[in-house]
Amino acid sequence: QVKPQGGDALAFFDGELQFQASRRLLLAHELRDALADDQFELYFQPQLVHPGVVMGAEVLLRWRHPARGLLGPYEFIDFAEESGMIVAIGEQVLRKACRQLALWQQQPARAQLELSVNISARQFRQRDFVQVVQGILKETQIDASALKLELTESMLVDDFDHVVSKMQQLQLHGIRFALDDFGTGYSSLVYLKRLPLYQLKIDRGFIDDLLRDENEQAIVRTIILLGQTLGLEVLAEGVENAGQLKALLQLGCYHYQGFHFAKPLPLAEFEQFLQQHLATLHRL
Ligand code: C2E
Ligand code: MG
Ligand code: MG
Ligand code: MG
């Protein structure tokens, strides 16, 4: 016989739900404030090409929370996506990135730098996504071939022709596309071939075990070969040590980013990194 649920259990459940709901409400308010008060900051993680030339950076979002300090995307990006606020946040990130490119493109020593910006599925899915990006390009007047947009496999489950058409419209401006976290999703190879991609980013989960696990190594080798076959640039993310770098070079992957070179850096530190790095290269 089933006992009737105790009142206490229900009360607890209610309390927990209420707690969750009020937390979400608070976060929603805080994110709106963050947008209005300019609390989002871009961090820049250097991206290099063998033998160590800095091509540019991946833009990674940070939230300078007034009470909780500097927060990484894992603290808020899922909620921003669910609540739809990622659309406005993502637009701000893109605008800031393009403004930065505009500044660099006026300086001969930095004019060649490229930025890679993460685009959320919800943001890409917006009906006016292409128009928004075009507006930012017009506003900032950048050479858009310095801009790469990082998409994920999760976007490809949508109306495929529609996705391709959006990419093509942006490609006309010179924008290039990377497929982020490659290997973790379910993209069919047929689709992959039809997408106007420029770069495949090997998920850092595979790089992590590269030296320990032969299966992992076989996967990475396969991804690199696949990229080469499709004429794509292949970049490894999450390179943390010299051993991993060596293994990647042996497998034919010459583009990389990771803590072995630099963590995501605030602008001033990224620019410092560029200069120090250039000095080291000249000494080689
Ligand atoms: P992602 O695009 O795959 O970015 C790479 C993540 O790996 C970054 O985490 C980066 O700091 C981290 N990483 C890079 N090298 C290493 C390494 O050598 N070792 C380790 N352990 N980690 C490394 P982060 O900055 O916390 O960003 C997490 C995710 O949040 C990103 O993954 C991306 O999916 C999302 N994200 C970040 N910025 C944005 C944004 O502006 N818009 C959107 N929609 N998503 C963003
Ligand atoms: Mg990324
Ligand atoms: Mg990634
Ligand atoms: Mg990711």
Side-chain angles (χ1 to χ4, degrees):
Q1 202 189 341
V2 184
K3 274 193 188 167
Q5 279 287 331
D8 283 353
L10 263 182
F12 171 77
F13 188 60
D14 252 19
E16 178 64 22
L17 274 184
Q18 247 171 42
F19 177 71
Q20 293 291 350
S22 58
R23 257 187 55 140
R24 293 168 69 84
L25 204 62
L26 177 66
L27 194 53
H29 275 292
E30 288 185 326
L31 281 175
R32 255 189 297 277
D33 288 348
L35 267 174
D37 300 345
D38 204 25
Q39 294 167 9
F40 291 114
E41 293 177 18
L42 306 192
Y43 272 52
F44 302 86
Q45 185 176 39
Q47 295 186 318
L48 300 89
V49 60
H50 186 66
V53 179
V54 181
M55 305 294 292
E58 176 175 6
V59 170
L60 293 159
L61 184 59
R62 298 292 181 264
W63 178 8
R64 194 161 298 278
H65 190 285
R68 294 163 65 200
L70 195 68
L71 303 180
Y74 293 118
E75 311 254 10
F76 60 89
I77 221 91
D78 283 350
F79 179 78
E81 177 97 20
E82 280 168 44
S83 62
M85 250 171 321
I86 192 67
V87 176
I89 295 172
E91 183 176 337
Q92 203 180 71
V93 170
L94 198 59
R95 180 169 288 105
K96 286 188 176 191
C98 290
R99 285 183 181 159
Q100 189 55 58
L101 282 172
L103 287 175
W104 283 336
Q105 289 179 358
Q106 289 159 15
Q107 309 167 28
R110 292 171 179 161
Q112 304 303 319
L113 287 173
E114 300 171 1
L115 284 180
S116 204
V117 178
N118 291 286
I119 302 296
S120 95
R122 185 133 176 195
Q123 188 186 0
F124 187 80
R125 219 172 270 147
Q126 293 294 302
R127 216 188 308 170
D128 63 353
F129 179 71
V130 171
Q131 286 71 32
V132 168
V133 178
Q134 285 169 336
I136 293 175
L137 293 183
K138 201 165 168 207
E139 200 180 298
T140 54
Q141 293 288 314
I142 58 163
D143 171 0
S145 65
L147 181 64
K148 215 179 299 120
L149 302 183
E150 298 194 3
L151 310 182
T152 55
E153 294 169 86
S154 64
M155 301 181 189
L156 311 180
V157 299
D158 294 340
D159 178 3
F160 189 76
D161 292 328
H162 213 73
V163 171
V164 172
S165 145
K166 279 185 173 173
M167 290 172 76
Q168 284 170 339
Q169 289 175 62
L170 292 170
Q171 226 183 5
L172 288 176
H173 297 271
I175 292 180
R176 290 171 294 165
F177 292 91
L179 195 56
D180 203 359
D181 307 331
F182 185 71
T184 59
Y186 304 92
S187 27
S188 120
L189 297 185
V190 180
Y191 278 9
L192 202 57
K193 196 173 156 218
R194 283 187 49 211
L195 279 180
L197 288 173
Y198 181 82
Q199 184 186 68
L200 280 188
K201 297 190 76 175
I202 310 175
D203 189 70
R204 78 177 142 85
F206 298 116
I207 309 303
D208 217 20
D209 292 327
L210 192 57
L211 302 174
R212 266 166 292 166
D213 186 332
E214 275 178 33
N215 290 327
E216 221 73 344
Q217 207 179 100
I219 292 175
V220 171
R221 181 182 296 119
T222 307
I223 294 177
I224 293 169
L225 278 175
L226 176 67
Q228 287 170 346
T229 307
L230 295 174
L232 304 178
E233 185 177 290
V234 181
L235 181 144
E237 60 177 18
V239 180
E240 293 187 346
N241 57 57
Q244 290 168 343
L245 176 62
K246 191 169 164 223
L248 283 165
L249 292 174
Q250 275 166 356
L251 294 174
C253 176
Y254 305 109
H255 291 79
Y256 36 79
Q257 67 184 88
F259 293 174
H260 181 53
F261 311 97
K263 293 196 168 170
L265 304 167
L267 177 66
E269 282 177 43
F270 174 68
E271 293 190 331
Q272 232 175 331
F273 176 87
L274 282 176
Q275 270 182 325
Q276 282 164 1
H277 205 75
L278 212 60
T280 344
L281 274 183
H282 283 316
R283 250 183 274 128
L284 282 180

